[in-house]
Amino acid sequence: MSYTIALTPGDGIGQEVVSATVPILETAADIGGFDLEMNTYEMGAAHYIETGTVMEDETLEAIRDHDAILLGGVGLPEVDNAFVAAEGHHRIRRELDLWNNLRPAYLFDESVCPLKGYGHGDIDILWFRENSEGEYIDAGGRLDRGGRTDTAIQCSVYTREGIERIARAAFDAATDRDGIVHNITKSNVLSYGAAFWDEVVEEVATEYPDVTLEKLYVDAANLSIVVQPERYDVVVGPNLFSDILTDATAGVVGGLGLAPSANLNPNEDVPGMFEPVHGTAPDIAGEGIANPLATVLSGALLFDDLGEDGAADAIRAAVEAQLQDESAPRTPDLGGDAMTDDVATDLNERLRNLN
Ligand code: ATP
């Protein structure tokens, strides 16, 4: 068996974490007994500065033809972030309709947890972020720019189809896990969009009599993720709320350096896109100290999606072993002084030894 993977490292630490991850994917593929053909595509803010285009149409067509996409990060401080995102990774999500953004947060070891009293496996959250609608649809306008009545309008859109599909994905997962879904909302204020969101999530819940649904306002969720993260198992939420709160779920399991994600469309024959939750980290880009583990764990999600459970589980086992070993190299975000490549090399060694 052989799979094609499109690599889109992008900008900033995206380049560093993707190149550190590639050998680990190759070792995991050996363990799983399959081959990988990896092709690299230039896109992002640096590519825009060089060529005037964030991502060529041909690039999008080419990556669409792969079995999966591994993305690093997109953006540079000197280029408008919203523009580069819209033409870059958001364009891939939009054009492939990758509506399901899976953001797991798993605590591998108490040493990386900023909270007292939490150990291995005590935090295990599977977050389903709606990835195609809400506030991210690019609709609105600006009136009288710079004038006396300067006004901005930002629209958000919720559709029945969009809510139903992400809710079903969450309920399906909950059926195989703890049988509970937390729905994150703000329907006490957003009386059209969020109220409709709740209505459809509650309708979907009736198809799953064995799963309990709990509704939680986004502000209360923001607090309880930090003080009681063990309360959560499967969570579903609209695009913007989920984007914000999954930085908090990342925080309680060790930070952005350990937070992977998958962008999926299980209904269509399109590749999933896998990427760390973090961005391009301009403050540390080029220093060689970015934590590669969020991208490595995104690679595990990529193998999950390809049905290569052995390779995916091997990566997670190696990460777990590394984080549980006090003498293993750690990047500065985890309190160590190791470089990106030290962590990746050590991890690759552990992976080989699992075999
Ligand atoms: P962008 O504009 O691309 O979103 P950002 O700096 O606003 O970049 P992130 O890239 O998510 O957002 O970074 C937020 C903070 O977390 C930064 O201080 C960054 O250095 C740190 N950080 C993010 N990812 C990593 C990583 N893999 N390893 C170490 N630190 C990281």
Side-chain angles (χ1 to χ4, degrees), residues 314-330:
I315 288 179
R316 283 186 283 260
V319 170
E320 185 166 306
Q322 187 184 59
L323 292 174
Q324 289 179 350
D325 180 351
E326 277 177 23
S327 64
R330 287 185 176 198

Side-chain angles (χ1 to χ4, degrees), residues 13 17 74-75 81 256-257 277-284 289-292 294 331 333:
I13 65 166
V17 292
V74 174
N81 229 343
L256 288 173
V277 168
H278 64 71
T280 56
D283 53 337
I284 58 166
I289 55 165
N291 190 340
T331 44
D333 57 305

Side-chain angles (χ1 to χ4, degrees), residues 4 69 75 106 234-235 310:
T4 53
I69 304 161
Y106 183 79
V234 172
V235 184

Side-chain angles (χ1 to χ4, degrees), residues 139-161:
R142 184 77 182 263
L143 307 172
D144 193 24
R145 188 182 287 267
R148 199 173 51 81
T149 58
D150 203 347
T151 304
I153 300 167
Q154 186 83 45
C155 302
S156 50
V157 165
Y158 295 85
T159 68
R160 174 171 289 278
E161 186 195 357

Side-chain angles (χ1 to χ4, degrees), residues 7-25 70-74 256-259 274-281 284-286 288-299 331 333 339-341 343-344 347:
L7 304 175
T8 50
D11 303 301
I13 65 166
Q15 293 280 344
E16 300 163 40
V17 292
V18 168
S19 72
T21 298
V22 164
I24 292 162
L25 299 185
L70 183 70
L71 182 116
V74 174
L256 288 173
L258 289 173
F274 303 83
E275 56 177 323
V277 168
H278 64 71
T280 56
I284 58 166
I289 55 165
N291 190 340
L293 295 180
T295 310
V296 168
L297 290 166
S298 302
T331 44
D333 57 305
M339 309 290 284
T340 308
D341 289 343
V343 172
L347 191 72

Side-chain angles (χ1 to χ4, degrees), residues 129-304:
R129 169 190 177 195
E130 202 294 310
N131 211 24
S132 62
E133 313 192 327
E135 299 71 16
Y136 286 66
I137 51 138
D138 191 25
R142 184 77 182 263
L143 307 172
D144 193 24
R145 188 182 287 267
R148 199 173 51 81
T149 58
D150 203 347
T151 304
I153 300 167
Q154 186 83 45
C155 302
S156 50
V157 165
Y158 295 85
T159 68
R160 174 171 289 278
E161 186 195 357
I163 306 165
E164 276 181 0
R165 61 189 184 180
I166 194 73
R168 285 212 176 89
F171 278 90
D172 284 341
T175 305
D176 297 332
R177 289 175 52 112
D178 290 357
I180 181 161
V181 171
H182 281 91
N183 170 34
I184 307 298
T185 183
K186 191 68 184 172
S187 48
N188 51 341
V189 175
L190 305 175
S191 51
Y192 302 104
F196 180 47
W197 169 277
D198 287 358
E199 197 180 303
V200 177
V201 170
E202 282 159 23
E203 277 175 35
V204 170
T206 63
E207 298 166 21
Y208 297 84
D210 296 334
V211 178
T212 306
L213 173 65
E214 284 201 18
K215 180 167 96 176
L216 207 75
Y217 294 125
V218 62
D219 39 344
N222 187 32
L223 174 64
S224 67
I225 284 166
V226 176
V227 297
Q228 251 188 323
E230 72 280 13
R231 185 173 164 193
Y232 298 98
D233 186 61
V234 172
V235 184
V236 65
N239 211 335
L240 180 61
F241 295 162
S242 296
D243 189 22
I244 296 167
L245 293 188
T246 51
D247 268 28
T249 58
V252 295
V253 297
L256 288 173
L258 289 173
S261 81
N263 302 268
L264 306 168
N265 179 348
N267 318 107
E268 305 281 338
D269 184 20
V270 289
M273 180 168 72
F274 303 83
E275 56 177 323
V277 168
H278 64 71
T280 56
D283 53 337
I284 58 166
E287 293 180 29
I289 55 165
N291 190 340
L293 295 180
T295 310
V296 168
L297 290 166
S298 302
L301 295 176
L302 184 158
F303 288 141
D304 281 335

